[in-house]
Amino acid sequence: MKKRAENVMSGGQVAGARYSRALLEPSLMGAADRAAIESGVPGATLMEAAGRAVAAEILSRWPLPDAPVAILCGPGNNGGDGYVIASVLKEAGWPVTVYALAPAATGTDAEWAARRWVDVGDILPLDEAACDAIASAAPMAVDALFGAGLSRPFEGRAATLSRRLSDRCARIAAVDTPSGLCGASGRVWGSAPHAEFTVTFERMKPGHVLADGPAHCGEVIVAPIGMPDTALAGPCDGAPFHVDHHAVFSRSFDKARAGHKYDHGHAVIASGGQGATGAARLAARSALRVGAGLVTVAAPQTAIPECASQLTAVMLKPVDDAAAFGALLQDSRLNAVALGPGLAQGAFAETDLEAGERRARRMVEMALDSRAFQLGERTLVLDADALTAFADSPDLLFEKAAAGQVILTPHLGEFRRLFPDLAEAICSPPTSATRPVSKVEVARQAARRSGAVILLKGADTVIAAPSGEVAVSAAAYARAAPWLATAGSGDVLTGLIAGLAARGFSAFEAAAAGAYLHVEAAREFGPALIAEDLPEALPAVFRRLFA
């Protein structure tokens, strides 16, 4: 039996060194390749291992076909892998036809693989006639045209073929990434087929989990190909990493810390006015469930009865205006504060929306100016109305945020209000003259600009620190949780992060762990989820993680 490739999106990852969870951008994967070759591993050996890994996956999944399988090869290393795949499948008795978009580059490992294939089979040109023949007759195809390091749009006859194959529901296996999918950003550059599965090597790429990646990759299998750990360690150091419980729970939940409830922190959730307290209540219950020792909702006096009717273990504090909120924050034991969910809404905003927005802004400023925050003893989580309140002057928010531990948790619309140029870069379709922009790089730039940890929401949530550290929490493949698209789920995420910050997690740790738990709770509950179900699913998540 071959050593089984790892499906790293199946719900867990390998424990051990940090870099085992790295998402290697194509340039870093290239550096790892070069380091492996310099250490004495021939490039042809790596190519042979890669091709055999893909072939083994095909043989284990697909039945022997009646018609020839089309192997589509590009001129580079991805095409070289394709020639190896063709050789292995032919040895196994499969009918194989190889098509080349262009000859293998001279003097490369791909040329070696192509020459070896020529000893047993032909290489046909991938021209218009071939495209028509493959699309009409091939039951299966292997896309080995271009890998993760795509340097130009995927256009022309090969792109036309990939569309035809996808339209005809041919079974497609992709090598590294489906051709046309940018390995760094996960965005389609020109055109890309929809694969049944994708085999990549040693480490996933950001493009497998970002943007369009999950829709085009099918299932991602990570195959080891014999790269030395020393070759991977350098490129993986500082690379984006995929969040899992090994990565984020440095402060483990499986061993209770001795001490008083105050030793587990005190989180404050600022609420909107009467009729708009639901968001804060969701956040508060989440903060309590995730382990904060105490949680207080700070709400206008007129909203206290509404909150009291729904909350029991969560404490309440009447706070009618920014001055009262500032007085509350003089208590240095309040080590995590969340502002934003419903903050500018409620009875006081019904007749004067601007009054609600002014209240939200002043309360955020009070929190940023508080002594405990300035001393680094308090973490602030800013979401929703707390972000929108600074849409006309984001630089003021950034100047104050840089003084301490702040987490900004925008969805794309809120992100656009604070970082319009960065939002434009990630939303604009790539052209022949502009490369696809990665959500990872955009979040990194936003974190550096703001001095805050950025949690940019989505199915491909990205968490970035001003230091450059980046994590990705992807609700994709086996971790897909589409039912998270429900009112209030973002408020729960805010509460999770605030509760973890209260427990003592750093801003980056709290954001990454909160994003991970958010998805795990949704998966634990399943379809028909509403936001109130998320905190109640956490105990089962913890039991599963730390059994």
Side-chain angles (χ1 to χ4, degrees):
M1 280 293 285
K2 71 184 180 75
K3 181 179 178 182
R4 179 66 179 168
E6 180 191 2
N7 181 342
V8 297
M9 295 305 295
S10 62
Q13 299 211 25
V14 176
R18 168 66 170 270
Y19 65 76
S20 70
R21 296 179 296 271
L23 294 167
L24 275 189
E25 291 154 324
S27 60
L28 296 177
M29 192 69 231
D33 281 335
R34 291 189 294 273
I37 292 169
E38 290 169 2
S39 73
V41 181
T45 299
L46 296 174
M47 184 170 289
E48 177 79 12
R52 286 190 174 276
V54 179
E57 201 67 37
I58 291 170
L59 291 169
S60 70
R61 290 167 174 259
W62 291 353
L64 182 67
D66 296 327
V69 175
I71 312 292
L72 315 180
C73 297
N77 284 344
N78 205 246
D81 296 339
Y83 293 118
V84 174
I85 295 164
S87 298
V88 175
L89 293 181
K90 190 172 182 67
E91 289 172 6
W94 279 43
V96 173
T97 304
V98 172
Y99 298 88
L101 184 63
T106 303
T108 64
D109 296 321
E111 185 184 40
W112 159 81
R115 285 177 176 172
R116 190 177 68 165
W117 166 253
V118 168
D119 291 338
V120 295
D122 296 328
I123 300 177
L124 304 179
L126 188 59
D127 54 21
E128 289 295 334
C131 289
D132 291 337
I134 296 167
S136 62
M140 304 174 187
V142 176
D143 174 10
L145 291 166
F146 299 102
L150 190 69
S151 60
R152 62 183 183 275
F154 186 51
E155 300 170 332
R157 62 182 183 275
T160 300
L161 172 61
S162 75
R163 287 193 294 270
R164 290 180 186 172
L165 288 173
S166 292
D167 290 344
R168 291 176 181 268
C169 299
R171 307 184 80 171
I172 301 173
V175 179
D176 200 17
T177 60
S179 295
L181 185 75
C182 174
S185 69
R187 300 176 69 185
V188 172
W189 199 7
S191 178
H194 289 85
E196 184 171 318
F197 65 89
T198 299
V199 180
T200 193
F201 312 111
E202 295 293 354
R203 300 293 181 269
M204 292 182 78
K205 315 306 181 290
H208 291 130
V209 296
L210 296 175
D212 306 313
H216 285 266
C217 290
E219 178 186 356
V220 178
I221 299 93
V222 180
I225 58 173
M227 278 194 177
D229 286 348
T230 52
L232 289 161
C236 288
D237 185 24
F241 67 93
H242 197 276
V243 178
D244 67 7
H245 65 287
H246 296 295
V248 298
F249 290 106
S250 57
R251 302 172 188 271
S252 181
F253 286 88
D254 60 344
K255 295 180 181 178
R257 287 204 313 247
H260 195 269
K261 59 192 174 187
Y262 287 103
D263 294 331
H264 292 267
H266 191 158
V268 174
I269 313 296
S271 175
Q274 185 179 1
T277 65
R281 289 187 279 109
L282 282 169
R285 188 160 182 84
S286 303
L288 198 62
R289 272 289 188 199
V290 85
L294 303 97
V295 178
T296 293
V297 168
Q301 179 67 59
T302 54
I304 291 294
E306 181 179 313
C307 292
S309 69
Q310 299 290 328
L311 298 173
T312 302
V314 173
M315 297 182 291
L316 301 172
K317 183 71 174 179
V319 171
D320 284 320
D321 53 29
F325 190 59
L328 172 65
L329 295 183
Q330 291 179 19
D331 186 347
S332 62
R333 294 174 298 177
L334 309 177
N335 64 330
V337 177
L339 302 103
L343 188 59
Q345 313 302 314
F348 54 78
E350 289 178 359
T351 56
D352 187 357
L353 180 59
E354 290 185 1
E357 293 175 347
R358 287 194 299 272
R359 173 181 182 268
R361 178 162 174 156
R362 286 294 298 136
M363 290 178 72
V364 173
E365 290 173 342
M366 283 289 183
L368 291 166
D369 291 337
S370 66
R371 177 175 171 79
F373 171 74
Q374 297 284 334
L375 292 176
E377 298 170 354
R378 174 178 295 152
T379 299
L380 305 184
V381 186
L382 306 183
D383 183 29
D385 291 345
L387 303 177
T388 301
F390 288 87
D392 62 347
S393 54
D395 288 344
L396 176 61
L397 173 63
F398 302 159
E399 180 183 352
K400 290 177 175 290
Q405 293 282 299
V406 176
I407 305 162
L408 309 182
T409 64
H411 57 56
L412 187 57
E414 293 157 350
F415 187 80
R416 187 186 296 277
R417 297 183 187 108
L418 297 179
F419 307 95
D421 57 325
L422 298 180
E424 179 65 23
I426 201 171
C427 292
S428 299
T431 67
S432 56
T434 59
R435 293 183 61 85
V437 176
S438 168
K439 191 173 183 178
V440 164
E441 182 51 35
V442 162
R444 270 191 175 125
Q445 291 183 44
R448 286 193 292 265
R449 184 183 301 179
S450 65
V453 169
I454 299 292
L455 185 147
L456 183 50
K457 296 176 185 174
D460 56 347
T461 293
V462 175
I463 305 100
S467 65
E469 188 171 20
V470 177
V472 179
S473 179
Y477 306 106
R479 289 195 82 232
W483 40 88
L484 268 175
T486 184
S489 67
D491 305 319
V492 171
L493 176 58
T494 296
L496 293 175
I497 296 170
L500 291 165
R503 286 184 59 93
F505 282 58
S506 72
F508 182 81
E509 287 177 328
Y516 176 78
L517 287 172
H518 194 230
V519 174
E520 290 302 300
R523 291 179 62 227
E524 186 69 37
F525 188 89
L529 171 85
I530 60 174
E532 289 95 322
D533 300 321
L534 288 166
E536 310 318 309
L538 283 176
V541 171
F542 290 138
R543 285 193 295 271
R544 171 165 53 82
L545 293 178
F546 301 110

